[in-house]
Amino acid sequence: MVRSVIQGRRMLARAGAFGLVVLFAMGIALGPQHAEAAPVLNQPAPLFTGTDSKGNAVSLADFKGSIVVLEWTNHECPFVRRHYEARNMQALQEHAAGAGVVWLTVVSSAPGEQGFVDGKEADALTKARGAAPRAVILDPSGEIGHAYAAKTTPNMFVIDASGTLVYMGAIDNEPRVTGADPAGAQNYVSDALQALAAGKPITPAVTQPYGCTIKYKS
């Protein structure tokens, strides 16, 4: 508990004064926000079937045999915008796709809440930002998000080819909304994918997610 508080204070210090404003305006999450059970590292990732932005059913089970990255997003969140405006997220997606990794972007914002999009809006955002996910999964009920205890945008999960959850947490170690180029941060997702490719342990395998709280259906 003490360690979590210390980590939260460090994140706030890095975010700076503007980050404090965003914290209260957008709902930054620096610690556990739900009482629900979290997925377990090195255990099978929670299975799900969702509907993507084009109206197609997408099941995690369909990708067994491939590494999968899950990215929770909210296009109105400044933490998310920072990564997309710097093209950091797109670069990760493109690199992952080139390595045969399946990248799934998930939107768990409820209708009427910040970040909610329909399929047409999601596709327009993907095109405008030059993003490259395999699919954008719409989760307005929050069922998938709650299954993963996803708390923030961004919140990242990496699943290995056997379907085992091997990384969960933040995208990197720089919880900023402005400032330094995120490409210069330690990117935990990139590190996890490189470790998997090399057959090495993922370190760290769990980190504290940061960003805007996911606007789940109440």
Side-chain angles (χ1 to χ4, degrees):
M1 178 65 180
V2 172
R3 184 178 180 183
S4 297
V5 171
I6 292 172
Q7 289 177 332
R9 287 174 178 170
R10 286 175 178 169
M11 287 183 175
L12 290 177
R14 290 174 185 167
F18 182 71
L20 289 174
V21 175
V22 173
L23 184 154
F24 293 107
M26 308 298 291
I28 182 175
L30 294 171
Q33 301 296 310
H34 302 296
E36 62 204 358
V40 180
L41 191 73
N42 296 324
Q43 293 296 317
L47 294 175
F48 63 82
T49 298
T51 302
D52 72 9
S53 59
K54 301 184 185 304
N56 300 315
V58 178
S59 295
L60 181 62
D62 294 340
F63 304 113
K64 192 166 185 180
S66 297
I67 296 169
V68 177
V69 173
L70 302 180
E71 169 214 354
W72 261 264
T73 194
N74 166 357
H75 69 285
E76 296 182 89
C77 171
F79 293 90
V80 171
R81 288 204 308 265
R82 175 173 176 259
H83 284 282
Y84 274 96
E85 290 170 2
R87 293 197 57 79
N88 184 58
M89 193 70 78
Q90 297 94 318
L92 280 172
Q93 294 167 346
E94 291 166 4
H95 180 77
V101 174
V102 175
W103 189 291
L104 302 176
T105 298
V106 185
V107 181
S108 291
S109 295
E113 297 290 347
Q114 182 198 72
F116 173 79
V117 290
D118 60 21
K120 184 176 180 180
E121 291 168 328
D123 285 344
L125 277 168
T126 297
K127 182 178 180 180
R129 298 188 297 191
R134 173 73 67 89
V136 178
I137 299 175
L138 307 180
D139 180 40
S141 70
E143 181 178 352
I144 301 172
H146 287 308
Y148 279 81
K151 299 173 177 63
T152 66
T153 54
N155 199 167
M156 313 296 295
F157 300 82
V158 178
I159 301 163
D160 73 10
S162 71
T164 299
L165 181 65
V166 293
Y167 174 78
M168 55 184 175
I171 185 172
D172 62 22
N173 66 340
E174 291 284 349
R176 299 173 179 267
V177 290
T178 59
D181 185 344
Q186 179 184 359
N187 193 288
Y188 299 128
V189 176
S190 179
D191 288 352
L193 294 178
Q194 290 181 40
L196 280 176
K200 295 180 179 179
I202 296 173
T203 305
V206 179
T207 61
Q208 186 69 49
Y210 69 83
C212 305
T213 55
I214 295 176
K215 309 305 186 285
Y216 284 112
K217 181 179 180 180
S218 57

